[in-house]
Amino acid sequence: MFVNIYRLNRTFVTALNNVYRQLSASLNSNVNSICGTNGLQRAICTSAVRLEDAAAPTTDEFTYFPPLPGEKSSLRWDGKPYEELPIVHIKATYNNTHIHVTDNAGAYIVCTSCGKEGFKNIKKSTVVAAQTTGVSAGVRAKLKGVTFVRVVVKGLGSGRLSAIQGLAMGGLEIVSITDNTPVPHNGCRPRKVRRL
């Protein structure tokens, strides 16, 4: 479904670009008849020239949409394509928040959690602990030469967003955020309701 919407948006943007090119071409062919003494006509003429310059074909066609899986992208972060960026795995449980920074192959760079940062018992599950852990992981990853990262979040704990904010406060540039929380498609039978 997402791929179909993506392709539909892409064809829509391409169609708009074609309309702009045709409009600018027609305005430039009639430049002497359109560009008169009227200020509005001059503004239309100059904007048409700008549109034509912007619509000039380049070797790498720019798009605002991310590449589909398997497609090549011309975007680079620190000279690396998207697939080669390090990944920050955030596991936010109800009792703790774990942050692992790995390279694109999954090799360890930095690992920390709220318990490692000195929070005990119920304080490990707070947003302050998660943000502190994110700042610590970001600073340690920055010292090891990591600047741009992809973030993969798993779990429904309270430290999801604050851990991402902590990573940004620690000096990391976040390129993308992916939610990888496992969702059952009515798989196992849940536990009985706890009575208090």
Side-chain angles (χ1 to χ4, degrees), residues 90-94 152-160 179-182:
I90 299 174
K91 185 178 180 187
T93 63
Y94 291 113
V152 177
V153 183
K154 183 184 271 191
L156 298 173
S158 59
R160 287 165 55 103
D179 188 12
N180 200 16
T181 304

Side-chain angles (χ1 to χ4, degrees), residues 37-191:
T37 57
N38 192 350
L40 177 63
Q41 290 175 345
R42 268 188 248 127
I44 290 174
C45 183
T46 55
S47 64
V49 171
R50 279 193 216 120
L51 281 175
E52 185 181 54
D53 292 341
T58 58
T59 56
D60 295 329
E61 190 170 323
F62 178 77
T63 177
Y64 289 103
F65 302 108
L68 287 172
E71 280 188 358
K72 294 284 186 181
S73 175
S74 61
L75 296 177
R76 296 284 185 268
W77 293 270
D78 229 3
K80 297 179 183 176
Y82 179 80
E83 294 80 16
E84 294 180 10
L85 290 177
I87 304 171
V88 177
H89 299 275
I90 299 174
K91 185 178 180 187
T93 63
Y94 291 113
N95 298 320
N96 206 348
T97 302
H98 301 272
I99 299 178
H100 299 270
V101 181
T102 64
D103 63 359
N104 62 336
Y108 161 87
I109 297 175
V110 172
C111 174
T112 187
S113 69
C114 294
K116 275 188 179 179
E117 296 301 319
F119 294 94
K120 302 288 182 190
N121 301 331
I122 195 69
K123 293 179 181 166
K124 290 192 294 185
S125 61
T126 61
V127 294
V128 173
Q131 186 170 0
T132 305
T133 305
V135 169
S136 171
V139 168
R140 287 167 56 191
K142 191 84 171 166
L143 289 175
K144 293 194 176 184
V146 176
T147 306
F148 296 94
V149 294
R150 299 182 276 167
V151 175
V152 177
V153 183
K154 183 184 271 191
L156 298 173
S158 59
R160 287 165 55 103
L161 293 176
S162 53
I164 296 171
Q165 291 171 353
L167 289 170
M169 289 169 61
L172 295 181
E173 298 285 334
I174 297 172
V175 173
S176 72
I177 301 173
T178 306
D179 188 12
N180 200 16
T181 304
V183 179
H185 299 284
N186 285 346
C188 299
R189 178 174 174 168
R191 296 178 62 177

